[in-house]
């Protein structure tokens, strides 16, 4: 038997090893460099500030610490309540105990978001309406419309992606004063929670906006209260027939529901609402979500121009009397015995422009629109001329879907506006090939050129071959409009100028130009001449997999190895032997933290099991849009239709606010087909939100608490199943209460009673009712079997109360010669500090997807927020013997690529949005990293104009989750 040296022997451990390293928090090595610091220093031509890893005592470190973090420590009178928990090997790790327990609200300065008071300018020099966000990759949401004045901003509808769009195009959200919803549903309001939380986190006290909507808005407000502090929503106002809820302030309805309801009236604009209810015979009761609103925006008239020649002819001398006449006052003539009135010397007043925003979701709403008498004063007569009492409508923005717009009744209604400019902003096809987020599309195209295996072409590139058919569809849509008046399809940033009056009309100046993949690649070749050779070398990795498969040798034993690059470079886990490409694909839909940014969306991981379905791990705002960018519209629909379940790690908004839109789309796609409600697994606070939201619209889902899917819960479930116990009897080991000692079995070791991290799950009034969960567990077991999965196990992590990670274990398979091959194992950390439960759950993982919010120089901030640094995440994977580590959930302070130490990356890769990792390609994964270094060598500078709020959870600025 060959002799193994003591040093090599240390690399091996038993099947269940202890920690291979003590998780100690130490002072970062001041000599550690980002691998990109070296690149940036070699590029002296860069005009921007180079990014480097800050030293703990240097001025740059102070600048890197977020202002929010400083505020938390300032004036507290005591240090953060840090705690150390022992690891298996006798070491320890640090975390913020008060934050993990949910007790840290009092540690932060309490914010009271305020509405900004603005000094209005009645003589506005600039006013316009502008389309925000239309096209393929937000086709699932209603476009937003911006009404802009010098001192005021109004937004109509706030669907998912609004924040990201505004960041891309430098539209300042802090300037928004009012948000109006044309309907209350995930399509029009999916971006509202994130918008409120972002505004509340700005400045010393935070900002808020007035939110207006029909009475259904009360249901949305009630749902959002489960994770948004009340202070951010105190200015929510609903109107129309009063609902049963009193969560929002109601605006009194006029005597007739059909009369306009005046919402805003000041020196600058009057905004009124006309309620549209579906006209259905035999149905008197209005269901939640069915009411729609048409908004009327009227600007005041502008006085005509003063004519000094007329004033002189009437005997007036130049002087103060000229000003009085211009302010509407009559004066006595200086030379004649007459009174001179403003109308004698002023040109006729210029009528104020009028804009309609119309949302008719169904043809039954059109019937109501046609019968609304209060609109008669805005119509022209049959010949197209205004009647004596009519007001001129200058622009009508149609948010209605194309199917409704093209109906005969809707066309009939449109003819009543004479020469008004019609803008068709509903779900059109014109912008299919135009990416709405050009910055992220540019990065995606570059990554695709370098490594198409991990970065497939985005959905909008693959749709360019549809241009001809799309053009035909547009022509058929617009032919109706062109017969009526000057009608155009909406485009991103299309403006209709209202003031100055001389420029009244459409303005296409700011419409983004079409970005083609070839242009991006030409630009890339110009910037980095070596990139073509690099792309060829990357392609050789896959050629090597096919030609030299024998070099990738499966491990023949069951021991977990602590991988070292020189020892295990060509050793792969047994589970990857003869693996098929249609077995598993991991798609990183969102890889940023806190809030959507220009280059990274918030958290979501799509587990593609191909013919066996799919799972979503976390579902931040914009997840559906990301699926459309990755797979195209039809492909995203298929992905949603075939979802097996959705798993949510914790209640922070950047991990779940895209869920309602995904569930609503699945409901619509499967309408009329036999199907089961979708299983949603998450913390119990999420159930509160979903239960409240379902009063607004049915989400067609079943909820299962993460606590019911821990390893202990599954063991007890299996034991009860063997004993034919349905879990409902009081004696069942699954029938547990929060005050029952047997809860220790479910909580696991990290949060068990008596440990230093006792869980704050176990609050009075929050029992684990397994009698309710039992049928859902049986259903989940069935779903997992159909998906080819052996286990889905949740485990507690250290972040906030009710924070979890997840293990997915594939079932064993038998190859062609009858050999049993173990299934793969994927672990996702959620948000967490390094902790024993995570290490234990990750033992022998094929892939560990681990958050790496902060760079190594920001350990203190990582501890304060209960997040991990890059090296800490890698150390967890190394300790657990994970085969591959994927780092994600980067702070938005790193806009394009995070800072990390290349020395630790031999089994690790950095995630980017839409990165797609096939399980058969795992051996190649770390080899691509040096080429990403080349791709981003000119990007390792921080553009000061791209800085973002560095709070790393939506709720940090507001004191955490409201529970």
């Amino acid at each position: 038997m060959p002799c193994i040296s003591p040093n090599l022997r240390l690399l091996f451990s038993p099947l269940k090893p202890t920690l291979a390293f003590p998780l100690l928090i130490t002072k970062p090595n001041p000599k550690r460099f980002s691998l990109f610091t070296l690149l940036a220093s070699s590029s002296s031509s860069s005009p921007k500030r180079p990014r480097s890893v800050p030293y703990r005592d240097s001025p740059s470190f102070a600048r890197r610490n977020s202002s929010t973090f400083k505020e938390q420590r300032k004036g507290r009178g005591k240090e953060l309540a840090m705690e150390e928990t022992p690891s298996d090997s006798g070491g320890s790790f640090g975390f913020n105990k008060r934050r993990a327990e949910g007790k840290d609200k009092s540690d932060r300065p309490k914010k009271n978001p305020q509405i900004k008071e603005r000094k209005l300018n009645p003589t506005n020099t600039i006013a316009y309406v502008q389309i925000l966000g239309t096209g393929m990759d937000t086709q699932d949401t209603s476009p937003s419309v911006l009404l802009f004045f010098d001192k005021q901003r109004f937004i109509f509808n706030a669907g998912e992606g609004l924040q990201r769009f505004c960041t891309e195009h430098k539209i300042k959200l802090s300037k928004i004063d009012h948000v109006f919803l044309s309907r209350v549903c995930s399509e029009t309001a999916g971006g509202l929670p994130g918008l409120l939380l972002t505004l509340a986190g700005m400045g010393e006290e935070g900002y808020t906006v007035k939110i207006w909507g029909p009475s259904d808005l009360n249901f949305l407000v009630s749902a959002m209260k489960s994770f948004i502090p009340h202070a951010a929503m105190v200015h929510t106002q609903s109107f129309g027939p009063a609902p049963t809820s009193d969560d929002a302030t109601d605006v009194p309805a006029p005597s007739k529901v059909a009369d306009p309801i005046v919402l805003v009236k000041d020196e600058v604009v009057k905004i009124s609402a006309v309620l549209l209810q579906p006209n259905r015979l035999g149905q008197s009761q209005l269901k939640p979500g069915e009411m729609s609103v048409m908004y009327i925006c009227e600007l005041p008239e502008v006085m005509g121009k003063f004519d000094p020649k007329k004033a002189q002819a009437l005997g007036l001398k130049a002087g103060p009397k000229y000003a009085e006449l211009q302010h509407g006052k009559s004066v006595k003539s200086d030379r004649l015995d007459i009174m001179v009135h403003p109308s004698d010397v002023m040109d006729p007043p210029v009528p104020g422009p009028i804009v309609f925003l119309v949302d008719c979701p169904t043809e039954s709403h059109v019937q109501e629109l046609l019968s609304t008498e209060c609109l008669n004063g805005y119509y022209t007569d049959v010949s197209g001329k205004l009647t004596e009492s009519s007001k001129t409508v200058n622009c009508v923005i149609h948010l209605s879907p194309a199917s409704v717009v093209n109906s005969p009744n809707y066309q009939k209604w449109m003819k009543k506006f004479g020469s008004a400019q019609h803008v068709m902003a509903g779900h059109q096809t014109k912008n299919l090939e135009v990416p709405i987020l050009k910055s992220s599309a540019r990065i995606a195209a570059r990554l695709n050129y370098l490594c198409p295996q991990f970065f497939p072409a985005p959905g909008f590139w693959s749709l360019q071959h549809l241009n001809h058919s799309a053009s035909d569809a547009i022509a058929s849509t617009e032919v109706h409009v062109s017969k009526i008046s000057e009608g155009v399809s909406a485009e991103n940033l299309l403006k209709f100028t209202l003031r100055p009056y001389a420029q009244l009309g459409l303005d296409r100046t700011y419409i983004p130009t079409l970005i083609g993949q070839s242009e991006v690649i030409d630009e890339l070749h110009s910037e980095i001449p070596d990139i073509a050779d690099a792309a060829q070398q990357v392609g050789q990795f896959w050629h090597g997999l096919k030609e030299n498969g024998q070099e990738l040798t499966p491990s023949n034993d069951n021991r977990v190895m602590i991988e070292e690059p020189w020892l295990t470079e060509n050793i792969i886990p047994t589970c990857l032997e003869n693996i098929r490409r249609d077995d598993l694909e991991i798609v990183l839909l969102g890889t940023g933290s806190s809030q959507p940014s220009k280059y990274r969306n918030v958290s979501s991981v799509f587990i593609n099991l191909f013919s066996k379905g799919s799972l979503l791990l976390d579902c931040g705002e914009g997840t559906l849009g990301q699926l459309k960018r990755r797979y195209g519209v039809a492909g995203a629909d298929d992905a949603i239709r075939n979802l097996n379940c959705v798993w949510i790690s914790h209640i922070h908004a950047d991990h779940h606010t895209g869920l309602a839109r995904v569930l609503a789309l699945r409901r619509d796609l499967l309408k009329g087909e036999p199907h089961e409600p979708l299983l949603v697994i998450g913390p119990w606070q999420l159930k509160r939100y979903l239960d409240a939201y379902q009063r607004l619209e049915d989400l067609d889902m079943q909820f299962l608490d993460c606590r019911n899917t821990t390893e202990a819960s599954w063991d007890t479930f299996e034991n009860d199943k063997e004993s034919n116990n349905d879990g409902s009897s009081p004696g069942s080991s699954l029938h547990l209460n929060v005050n029952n000692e047997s809860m220790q079995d479910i909580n696991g070791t990290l949060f068990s009673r008596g440990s230093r991290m006792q869980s704050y799950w176990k609050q009075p009034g929050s029992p684990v009712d397994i009698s309710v969960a039992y049928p859902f567990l049986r259903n989940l077991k069935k779903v997992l079997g159909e998906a080819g999965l052996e286990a889905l196990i949740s485990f507690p992590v250290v972040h906030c109360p009710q924070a979890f990670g997840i293990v997915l274990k594939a079932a064993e398979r038998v190859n062609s010669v009858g050999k049993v091959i173990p299934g793969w194992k994927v672990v996702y950390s959620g948000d967490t500090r390094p902790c024993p439960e995570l290490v234990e759950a990750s033992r022998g993982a094929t892939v560990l997807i681990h958050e790496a919010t902060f760079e190594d120089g920001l350990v203190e901030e990582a501890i304060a927020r209960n997040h991990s640094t890059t090296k800490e995440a890698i150390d967890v994977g190394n300790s657990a013997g994970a085969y591959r580590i994927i780092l994600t959930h980067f702070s938005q302070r790193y806009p394009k690529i995070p800072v990390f130490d290349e020395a630790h990356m031999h089994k690790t890769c950095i995630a980017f949005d839409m990165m797609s990792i096939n399980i058969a390609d795992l051996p190649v994964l770390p080899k691509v990293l040096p080429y990403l270094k080349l791709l981003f060598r000119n990007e390792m500078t921080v553009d000061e104009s791209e800085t973002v709020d560095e709070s790393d959870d939506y709720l940090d600025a507001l004191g955490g989750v409201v529970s």
Side-chain angles (χ1 to χ4, degrees):
M1 182 175 180
C3 179
I4 300 177
S5 71
N7 289 336
L8 284 177
R9 192 176 292 114
L10 291 174
L11 295 173
F12 296 88
S13 59
L15 184 59
K16 289 193 174 182
T18 58
L19 280 171
F21 69 104
L23 287 166
L24 292 170
I25 301 303
T26 59
K27 185 172 181 178
N29 182 356
K31 294 183 180 180
R32 181 179 296 139
F33 292 90
S34 158
L35 65 97
F36 297 105
T37 304
L38 303 177
L39 292 169
S41 64
S42 65
S43 178
S44 57
S45 61
S46 176
K48 300 175 184 177
R49 171 171 63 86
R51 182 196 299 170
S52 60
V53 176
Y55 305 140
R56 292 289 297 278
D57 300 322
S58 69
S60 64
F61 177 78
R63 182 171 61 249
R64 263 311 191 34
N65 276 318
S66 73
S67 58
T68 306
F69 179 56
K70 292 176 184 175
E71 288 171 7
Q72 289 173 2
R73 302 188 68 180
K74 182 180 177 182
R76 195 179 301 170
K78 59 181 180 180
E79 290 297 318
L80 286 169
M82 298 302 173
E83 185 84 4
E84 289 187 353
T85 289
S87 70
D88 295 357
S89 63
S92 61
F93 67 91
F95 62 91
N96 183 345
K97 182 179 180 183
R98 290 179 63 79
R99 179 178 175 83
E101 295 173 346
K103 291 182 175 180
D104 60 335
K105 299 176 192 177
S106 60
D107 295 343
R108 306 196 234 298
K110 192 167 184 179
K111 289 196 171 191
N112 184 23
Q114 301 293 321
I115 285 186
K116 282 188 175 181
E117 292 191 11
R118 308 187 191 278
K119 187 176 180 181
L120 301 182
N121 178 14
T123 57
N124 279 281
T125 55
I126 299 175
Y128 57 81
V129 286
Q130 187 172 33
I131 304 297
L132 306 182
T134 182
M136 183 279 294
D137 45 4
T138 54
Q139 192 180 23
D140 58 286
T141 64
S142 175
S144 298
V145 178
L146 171 68
L147 176 58
F148 177 98
F149 295 97
D150 285 352
K151 300 293 183 181
Q152 279 185 306
R153 313 282 194 277
F154 304 88
I155 286 280
F156 295 85
N157 288 344
E160 290 188 27
L162 172 63
Q163 239 188 124
R164 206 172 177 202
F165 183 90
C166 290
T167 301
E168 169 93 7
H169 297 287
K170 295 182 171 59
I171 298 170
K172 292 186 177 180
L173 293 170
S174 59
K175 301 289 185 182
I176 304 298
D177 299 292
H178 300 261
V179 175
F180 299 89
L181 300 180
S182 62
R183 283 176 290 129
V184 185
C185 58
S186 58
E187 183 183 340
T188 59
L192 192 57
L195 176 63
L196 289 174
L197 289 166
T198 297
L199 289 173
M202 291 180 175
E204 292 291 329
E205 286 296 327
Y207 305 119
T208 187
V209 295
K210 286 186 177 178
I211 306 167
W212 304 84
S215 55
D216 306 335
L217 179 60
N218 294 295
F219 297 120
L220 180 62
V221 171
S222 176
M224 290 193 299
K225 280 183 178 179
S226 63
F227 65 95
I228 298 180
H230 179 69
M233 298 188 292
V234 293
H235 301 289
T236 303
Q237 294 181 297
S238 65
F239 48 85
T244 55
S245 171
D246 58 356
D247 291 318
T249 304
D250 295 332
V251 175
S255 55
K256 290 183 179 180
V257 174
D259 291 342
I261 304 170
V262 178
L263 307 177
V264 175
K265 187 175 183 180
D266 54 34
E267 309 98 298
V268 172
V269 67
K270 181 175 82 170
I271 300 178
S272 306
V274 176
L275 294 170
L276 300 176
Q277 301 179 18
N279 188 353
R280 292 174 183 164
L281 296 175
Q283 183 178 317
S284 58
Q285 191 171 2
L286 190 67
K287 294 181 180 178
E290 288 189 334
M291 187 174 292
S292 180
V293 183
M294 182 177 77
Y295 290 102
I296 303 172
C297 307
E298 301 177 82
L299 278 63
E301 67 178 19
V302 177
M303 294 185 67
K305 189 177 180 181
F306 178 76
D307 190 340
K309 291 182 179 179
K310 290 182 180 180
Q312 292 171 8
L314 293 173
L316 284 173
K317 298 178 182 179
K321 291 183 178 180
Y322 280 18
E324 290 184 47
L325 286 166
Q326 292 180 62
H327 283 91
K329 296 180 180 179
S330 299
V331 297
K332 185 173 176 61
S333 172
D334 295 317
R335 297 190 180 94
L336 305 174
D337 189 20
I338 58 172
M339 290 295 293
V340 180
H341 304 288
S343 59
D344 298 329
V345 294
M346 304 284 290
D347 289 340
V350 179
I354 299 175
V355 177
F356 277 21
L357 291 99
V358 189
D359 186 356
C360 276
T362 68
E363 289 195 41
S364 60
H365 288 82
V366 180
Q367 297 290 339
E368 181 77 6
L369 185 65
L370 286 168
S371 62
T372 303
E373 295 181 2
C374 66
L375 298 178
N376 292 341
Y378 299 93
Y379 297 150
T380 60
D381 60 19
V382 179
S383 63
K385 297 180 181 179
L386 288 171
T387 61
E388 200 168 303
S389 59
S390 291
K391 300 177 182 179
T392 303
V393 177
N394 304 92
C395 180
V396 182
I397 299 176
H398 302 270
L399 302 175
S400 313
S403 58
V404 173
V405 170
N406 290 331
S407 68
N409 282 332
Y410 200 93
Q411 296 279 309
K412 176 182 176 182
W413 180 76
M414 289 175 67
K415 290 179 181 178
K416 297 185 176 186
F417 292 99
S419 61
Q421 176 68 68
H422 293 272
V423 179
M424 319 312 293
H427 294 174
Q428 306 296 318
T429 57
K430 181 170 185 179
N431 293 305
L432 272 175
E433 76 280 9
V434 182
I436 188 172
L437 303 171
K438 291 180 67 174
S439 296
S440 63
R442 175 178 170 271
I443 295 292
R446 288 175 164 230
L447 289 165
N448 170 251
Y449 176 80
L450 176 66
C451 183
Q453 294 85 356
F454 286 144
F455 304 98
F460 44 80
W461 300 130
S462 61
L463 284 169
Q464 287 191 352
H465 69 279
L466 297 177
N467 281 353
H468 294 296
S469 58
S471 299
D472 295 339
I474 297 158
S476 65
T477 299
E478 292 185 344
V479 67
H480 298 287
V481 181
S482 61
K483 290 179 181 177
I484 302 165
S485 58
E486 292 297 322
V488 298
S489 286
E491 297 182 65
N492 290 320
L493 302 182
L494 174 68
K495 284 184 181 180
F496 187 91
T497 302
L498 304 174
R499 297 255 166 88
Y501 189 78
Q503 299 176 16
L504 184 73
L506 292 174
D507 179 0
R508 300 178 179 273
T509 307
Y510 299 96
I511 295 176
T513 56
L514 174 63
I515 178 174
Q517 192 173 22
S518 59
E519 298 172 48
V520 176
I521 302 311
D522 289 344
E523 176 190 77
L524 178 59
H525 283 153
S526 175
E527 288 180 17
I528 309 175
D530 298 337
I531 199 66
D533 291 338
Q536 286 186 355
Q537 292 172 28
V538 169
Q540 289 299 314
F541 295 147
W542 277 264
H543 181 72
L545 275 179
K546 295 177 183 178
E547 299 293 327
N548 305 309
Q550 68 276 10
E551 293 184 9
L552 300 172
T553 309
S555 172
N556 291 321
D557 61 16
N558 292 323
R559 290 179 295 177
V560 176
M561 292 182 296
I562 308 304
E563 185 176 349
E564 293 295 338
W566 61 86
L567 181 67
T568 59
E569 184 176 351
N570 293 322
I571 297 179
I572 63 172
T574 308
C575 66
L576 296 186
E577 185 178 342
N578 303 126
I579 197 75
R580 295 167 55 96
R581 296 196 66 83
D582 61 356
D583 197 48
L584 168 67
E585 180 185 52
I586 300 171
V587 183
L588 287 305
L589 295 176
T591 58
S593 68
S594 179
Q595 61 194 60
S597 74
K598 207 168 165 182
Y599 301 101
R600 293 182 184 271
N601 202 52
V602 288
S603 297
S604 184
V605 180
F606 181 65
I607 303 296
N608 185 6
L609 302 175
F610 297 93
S611 62
K612 297 178 182 177
S614 58
L615 293 85
L616 268 177
L617 310 182
D618 280 336
C619 191
E621 177 190 337
T623 292
L624 183 55
Q626 292 290 85
L627 277 170
K628 289 177 182 289
R629 294 179 188 102
R630 169 62 182 87
Y631 293 109
V633 176
D637 286 351
D638 288 341
I640 296 299
R641 188 182 285 108
N642 296 323
L643 272 175
N644 298 107
C645 75
V646 179
W647 182 90
I648 303 298
S649 61
H650 63 290
I651 195 61
H652 283 168
D654 55 331
H655 291 257
H656 74 83
T657 49
L659 180 58
R661 187 70 203 119
V662 166
L663 294 174
L665 177 61
R666 180 182 181 273
R667 173 203 64 207
D668 294 340
L669 291 172
L670 295 176
K671 191 173 183 179
E673 299 179 18
H675 67 278
E676 293 289 331
L678 186 65
L679 269 169
V680 175
I681 305 169
W684 65 266
Q685 303 103 315
L686 181 65
K687 185 177 189 300
R688 289 173 51 191
Y689 166 66
L690 293 173
D691 284 348
Y693 189 91
Q694 288 202 108
R695 296 173 63 196
L696 180 62
E697 59 177 330
D698 177 35
L699 297 178
D700 192 22
M701 48 77 64
Q702 295 177 337
F703 184 83
L704 187 59
D705 195 317
C706 280
R707 292 174 292 181
N708 298 139
T709 60
T710 62
E711 187 170 14
S713 293
W714 278 116
D715 289 344
T716 314
F717 170 79
E718 294 296 338
N719 292 336
D720 276 2
K721 189 169 68 171
E722 290 177 8
S723 61
N724 295 319
N725 191 331
D726 65 359
S728 61
S729 66
S732 169
S733 55
L734 275 174
H735 193 77
L736 302 172
N737 186 278
V738 290
N739 298 316
N740 196 317
E741 290 296 325
S742 59
M743 272 295 293
Q744 293 183 41
D745 297 331
I746 283 189
N747 290 342
T749 58
L750 179 61
F751 293 129
S752 61
R753 185 180 300 276
S755 77
R756 304 188 70 185
M757 261 298 295
Q758 181 176 346
S759 172
Y760 276 77
W761 297 345
K762 298 175 287 184
Q763 299 177 20
S766 59
V768 182
D769 190 353
I770 221 68
S771 62
V772 174
Y774 197 90
F776 298 151
L777 283 171
R778 281 188 300 186
N779 188 21
L780 177 57
K781 190 77 174 175
K782 175 186 172 186
V783 167
L784 294 177
E786 293 171 349
L789 297 177
E790 180 182 289
L792 182 158
I793 300 172
S794 303
F795 57 90
V797 294
V798 180
H799 181 58
C800 65
Q802 294 287 302
F804 295 88
I806 185 175
V807 176
L808 293 175
K809 183 74 168 63
E812 294 177 341
R813 54 194 170 90
V814 180
N815 67 9
S816 56
V817 297
K819 179 182 177 181
V820 177
I821 300 175
W824 47 259
K825 178 180 178 180
V826 173
V827 179
Y828 172 53
S829 70
D831 286 7
T832 185
R833 287 290 297 149
C835 62
E837 288 281 350
L838 175 56
V839 176
E840 186 61 32
S842 304
R843 297 286 183 206
T846 316
V847 179
L848 169 61
I849 306 169
H850 199 301
E851 74 118 292
T853 309
F854 295 105
E855 61 189 89
D856 297 342
L858 297 180
V859 174
E860 284 187 4
E861 189 161 355
I863 295 173
R865 299 188 185 282
N866 281 342
H867 284 296
S868 299
T869 66
T870 300
K871 187 172 185 303
E872 286 174 335
I874 295 170
D875 286 346
V876 167
N878 286 337
S879 175
Y883 175 61
R884 290 292 180 253
I885 305 166
I886 301 171
L887 302 183
T888 186
H889 195 268
F890 304 111
S891 168
Q892 301 291 15
R893 72 186 71 194
Y894 315 118
K896 296 175 185 175
I897 193 166
V899 174
F900 56 90
D901 189 339
E902 190 177 13
H904 306 291
M905 306 297 288
H906 62 273
K907 61 158 70 171
T908 305
C909 198
I910 297 297
F912 294 85
D913 280 17
M914 260 79 73
M915 186 177 188
S916 303
I917 303 167
N918 193 287
I919 190 169
D921 298 332
L922 287 178
V924 176
L925 186 61
K927 298 180 181 180
V928 176
L929 189 62
Y931 297 90
L932 295 175
K933 160 185 169 180
L934 174 67
L935 181 66
F936 286 95
R937 73 181 185 188
N938 297 328
E939 307 283 356
M940 286 312 301
T941 54
V942 175
D943 185 345
E944 298 294 351
S945 67
E946 293 178 359
T947 56
V948 297
D949 182 2
E950 293 187 343
S951 60
D952 286 286
D953 286 303
Y954 273 137
L955 301 176
D956 275 353
L958 297 173
V961 179
V962 177
S963 57

